[in-house]
């Protein structure tokens, strides 16, 4: 499988430059297919397919190389956060889901900026 990953804007620029379709087909393509939402969805689907393909290959290799131990060969997932909370819940959920998909542990590391000591 070969996946050429381009940002939506780059793909649209290639189309406008005539690198994908003949010049007379470009306006129709931009209006009907090469819309930002369509291209973003296709990009996401292709990246997911590549990730799943790599995961299947990795799992098959792990089964061939070592006895089944109940843990995946991926090690652990670590979520590193600061004391700035706006993204904390999202990071924790994402880390937990990733660890669940990989059948491994999830750890949390949190750093805080030291309090400033009063001067004087």
């Amino acid at each position: 499988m070969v996946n050429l990953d381009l940002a939506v804007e780059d793909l649209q620029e290639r189309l406008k430059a005539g690198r994908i379709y003949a010049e007379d087909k470009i306006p129709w393509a931009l209006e009907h297919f090469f819309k930002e939402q369509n291209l973003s969805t296709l990009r996401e689907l292709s990246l997911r397919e590549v990730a799943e393909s790599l995961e299947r290959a990795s799992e098959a290799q792990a089964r061939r190389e070592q006895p089944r131990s109940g843990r995946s060969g991926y090690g652990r997932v670590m979520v590193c956060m600061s004391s700035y909370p706006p993204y904390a819940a999202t990071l924790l959920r994402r880390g937990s889901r990733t660890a669940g998909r990989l059948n491994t542990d999830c750890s949390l590391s949190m750093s805080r900026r030291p309090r400033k000591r009063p001067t004087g």
Side-chain angles (χ1 to χ4, degrees):
M1 175 186 304
V2 175
N3 184 38
L4 180 60
D5 182 32
L6 290 173
V8 170
E9 298 80 20
D10 294 338
L11 187 56
Q12 288 173 331
E13 287 302 316
R14 289 178 60 84
L15 175 68
K16 290 174 187 174
R19 295 182 180 167
I20 299 173
Y21 288 137
E23 201 168 312
D24 61 321
K25 295 181 181 182
I26 293 172
W28 185 90
L30 282 168
E31 190 175 318
H32 291 92
F33 181 73
F34 281 77
K35 296 178 182 180
E36 187 172 336
Q37 183 62 42
N38 289 353
L39 296 175
S40 293
T41 301
L42 286 172
R43 184 177 188 211
E44 181 181 348
L45 289 170
S46 70
L47 291 173
R48 283 184 183 193
E49 183 60 35
V50 169
E52 288 174 7
S53 176
L54 289 171
E55 185 176 0
R56 286 189 300 270
S58 178
E59 288 172 353
Q61 173 123 6
R63 282 193 299 271
R64 287 190 301 267
E65 290 179 356
Q66 61 190 26
R68 194 160 183 100
S69 65
R71 287 240 180 261
S72 71
Y74 291 106
R76 295 187 177 109
V77 173
M78 176 176 264
V79 178
C80 301
M81 301 176 12
S82 72
S83 55
Y84 186 64
Y87 301 109
T90 302
L91 285 171
L92 288 172
R93 279 193 301 273
R94 192 169 288 173
S96 176
R97 276 189 247 129
T98 300
R101 282 193 301 270
L102 298 175
N103 189 28
T104 191
D105 296 328
C106 180
S107 301
L108 171 65
S109 175
M110 185 170 172
S111 64
R112 289 189 194 186
R113 197 180 305 178
R115 291 186 184 186
K116 292 184 179 180
R117 295 182 186 179
T119 57

